[in-house]
């Protein structure tokens, strides 16, 4: 186990693209999309290969705190932290860094990662995180991120351009970052793939707490101030009373935009494990075995002359299809989604229309 290394699992998202299974009270990270474990359980289990549970923190919406504690009772209660308001990942990172600063010191190494990604080669992940955490301890002026070698011209991911190769960290290759790129259109994504120097941004970062504080002080001093205040309040036991007002006045912004895109020294660790952010229902096709017609399904399913369907059903509710192709079909006890596979990204747009239909609001 690594000394003075902490992992922070960000679990505050809504997961709207997985409606109707995801709801306000049960977002994506609490779904059992593939198997019997939820996405957040899988994430924490991967980290337990590397760290003691005392060093694993979950930052989530305050409404989900009790649910997380019930789901993973082995986590110390004080390690499940409820955000008083939705402010995206930058304030989340500052909050967690302040707590870690109070507990482990400003030289503690922090691993920041999402709760809802899928990684099956868990030991390869643990090995990479160990390599990079040890490097962050020896070279604290750098912030490290993980870049995934693209396998297709994906338009749903952000990219990072890699420059010169740096000294490797154990078995992990490191490159100097030449900057982040927004989610591209198809033509640009094809150029990125052909170029060979671009990596998918999978949203994992490693750094010493003081390094994040220095970057926040340079780019967004109000977040650095909150980090220090959180640290002081955590040490005196007064954080719970003050956090709602302190956190609530922060702007809503992502850690990528607020800090990482313009960090002075950013290194990219080349991914040595499989990775998928399971960003929509169509991603299930990569993880389920297709039948002879290309259909993938969970739950009860039957078909005639139907092809390339993606079905997420229930164990006691049969989904039957005849003569249809390229559909996503998702059933729950109170709602059913049917859409063309190439329209699955529009689910959030659909949810926006429900505001006009009061009788449908409970479905969200």
């Amino acid at each position: 186990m690594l000394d003075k290394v902490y992992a922070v699992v960000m679990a505050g998202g809504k997961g709207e693209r997985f409606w109707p299974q995801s709801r306000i009270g049960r977002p994506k990270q609490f779904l059992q999309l593939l198997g019997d474990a939820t996405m957040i359980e899988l994430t924490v289990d991967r980290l337990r290969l590397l760290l003691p549970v005392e060093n694993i923190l979950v930052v989530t919406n305050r409404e989900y705190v009790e649910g997380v504690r019930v789901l993973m009772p082995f986590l110390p209660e004080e390690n499940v932290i409820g955000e008083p308001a939705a402010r995206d990942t930058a304030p989340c990172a500052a909050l967690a860094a302040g707590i870690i600063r109070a507990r482990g010191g400003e030289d503690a190494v922090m691993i920041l990662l999402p709760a809802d990604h899928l990684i099956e080669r868990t030991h390869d992940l643990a090995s990479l995180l160990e390599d990079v955490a040890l490097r962050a301890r020896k070279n604290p002026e750098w912030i490290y991120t993980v870049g995934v070698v693209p396998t297709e011209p994906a338009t749903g991911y952000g990219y990072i351009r890699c420059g010169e190769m740096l000294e490797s960290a154990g078995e992990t290759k490191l490159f100097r970052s030449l900057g982040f790129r927004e989610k591209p259109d198809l033509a640009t994504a094809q150029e990125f793939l052909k170029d060979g120097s671009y990596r998918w941004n999978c949203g994992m970062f490693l750094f010493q707490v003081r390094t994040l504080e220095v970057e926040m002080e340079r780019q967004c001093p109000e977040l650095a101030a909150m980090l220090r205040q959180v640290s002081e309040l955590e040490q005196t036991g007064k954080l719970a009373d003050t956090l709602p007002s302190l956190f609530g006045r922060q702007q809503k912004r992502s850690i990528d935009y607020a800090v990482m895109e313009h960090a002075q020294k950013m290194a990219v660790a080349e991914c040595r494990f499989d990775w998928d952010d399971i960003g929509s229902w169509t991603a299930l096709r990569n993880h389920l075995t297709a039948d002879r017609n290309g259909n993938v399904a969970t739950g009860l399913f039957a078909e005639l002359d139907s092809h390339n369907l993606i079905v997420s059903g229930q164990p006691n509710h049969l989904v039957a299809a005849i003569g249809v192709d390229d559909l996503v079909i998702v059933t729950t006890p109170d709602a059913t989604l049917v859409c063309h596979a190439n329209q699955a990204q529009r689910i959030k747009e659909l949810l926006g229309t429900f505001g006009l239909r009061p009788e449908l609001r409970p479905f969200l």
Side-chain angles (χ1 to χ4, degrees):
M1 296 292 184
L2 295 171
D3 180 49
K4 293 187 73 171
V5 177
Y6 295 78
V8 175
V9 179
M10 299 179 291
K14 295 180 181 179
E16 291 172 308
R17 287 176 291 182
F18 282 86
W19 185 87
Q21 286 194 10
S22 65
R23 308 295 175 93
I24 287 176
R26 192 181 63 153
K28 173 186 170 185
Q29 57 269 30
F30 299 113
L31 298 182
Q32 297 168 314
L33 291 175
L34 297 163
D36 297 328
T38 63
M39 302 297 284
I40 190 172
E41 286 178 286
L42 293 172
T43 300
V44 171
D45 284 346
R46 291 191 289 264
L47 293 169
R48 293 178 72 181
L49 297 174
L50 186 70
L51 300 172
V53 293
E54 292 78 14
N55 287 24
I56 300 173
L57 286 69
V58 174
V59 182
T60 187
N61 187 298
R62 62 182 174 184
E63 295 179 5
Y64 307 148
V65 166
E66 287 308 311
V68 172
R69 288 173 176 164
V70 170
L71 197 60
M72 295 179 288
F74 53 83
L75 288 176
E77 282 197 8
E78 64 274 15
N79 282 19
V80 183
I81 300 149
E83 295 176 319
R87 291 295 182 267
D88 214 325
T89 54
C92 170
L95 169 61
I99 292 171
I100 291 171
R101 186 177 188 255
R103 298 182 188 180
E106 63 177 11
D107 62 339
V109 173
M110 177 169 150
I111 303 168
L112 184 69
L113 72 167
D116 54 4
H117 293 177
L118 183 67
I119 297 166
E120 295 179 347
R121 299 205 308 270
T122 55
H123 288 279
D124 289 343
L125 168 69
S127 175
L128 180 143
L129 293 178
E130 182 175 13
D131 286 347
V132 180
L134 292 173
R135 175 56 56 90
R137 178 172 295 152
K138 291 193 292 186
N139 297 87
E141 70 274 16
W142 290 80
I143 291 177
Y144 301 84
T145 188
V146 179
V148 179
V149 178
T151 56
E152 60 179 331
T155 59
Y157 302 147
Y159 287 72
I160 308 169
R161 188 179 182 192
C162 294
E164 65 180 293
M165 183 179 288
L166 305 173
E167 181 183 353
S168 295
E171 297 181 13
T172 303
K173 294 178 182 178
L174 294 175
F175 300 86
R176 182 185 294 272
S177 168
L178 296 182
F180 289 60
R181 300 292 189 272
E182 299 287 345
K183 295 176 182 178
D185 58 25
L186 180 59
T188 304
Q190 289 170 336
E191 287 298 318
F192 286 174
L193 186 64
K194 181 179 178 181
D195 181 279
S197 66
Y198 289 87
R199 303 291 182 267
W200 288 334
N201 174 14
C202 69
M204 294 186 196
F205 300 97
L206 297 92
F207 44 80
Q208 284 197 16
V209 168
R210 64 185 168 198
T211 307
L212 181 68
E213 182 183 349
V214 167
E215 278 293 348
M216 284 184 167
E217 187 64 54
R218 186 175 69 86
Q219 299 188 58
C220 41
E222 64 281 4
L223 283 177
M226 188 185 84
L227 188 159
R228 290 188 289 269
Q229 285 179 276
V230 166
S231 181
E232 293 168 5
L233 292 165
E234 174 74 4
Q235 288 177 317
T236 58
K238 299 177 181 178
L239 180 59
D241 294 334
T242 312
L243 184 60
S245 60
L246 180 61
F247 197 86
R249 56 178 183 260
Q250 299 301 319
Q251 294 181 37
K252 186 176 182 180
R253 50 189 164 175
S254 75
I255 191 67
D256 291 50
Y257 291 134
V259 177
M260 301 305 177
E261 291 190 0
H262 300 289
Q264 290 183 321
K265 286 190 174 183
M266 172 71 69
V268 182
E270 188 168 275
C271 177
R272 303 204 315 272
F273 50 85
D274 61 298
W275 172 84
D276 192 342
D277 78 341
I278 312 289
S280 70
W281 285 116
T282 57
L284 295 187
R285 184 173 295 285
N286 299 326
H287 304 282
L288 296 172
T289 302
D291 67 15
R292 57 188 175 82
N293 288 335
N295 303 306
V296 297
T298 60
L300 294 178
F301 172 64
E303 59 83 19
L304 285 176
D305 298 325
S306 297
H307 305 82
N308 302 318
L309 304 184
I310 298 168
V311 178
S312 180
Q314 306 295 307
N316 58 353
H317 181 106
L318 174 66
V319 174
I322 302 174
V324 292
D325 300 331
D326 302 315
L327 296 181
V328 173
I329 304 172
V330 184
T331 67
T332 69
D334 59 1
T336 299
L337 168 73
V338 180
C339 70
H340 197 279
N342 65 16
Q343 298 291 305
Q345 297 289 346
R346 299 184 65 192
I347 291 176
K348 187 173 181 179
E349 180 184 342
L350 172 69
L351 298 184
T353 69
F354 289 1
L356 304 176
R357 302 279 301 279
E359 72 273 19
L360 291 178
R361 286 176 186 165
F363 289 174
L364 303 178

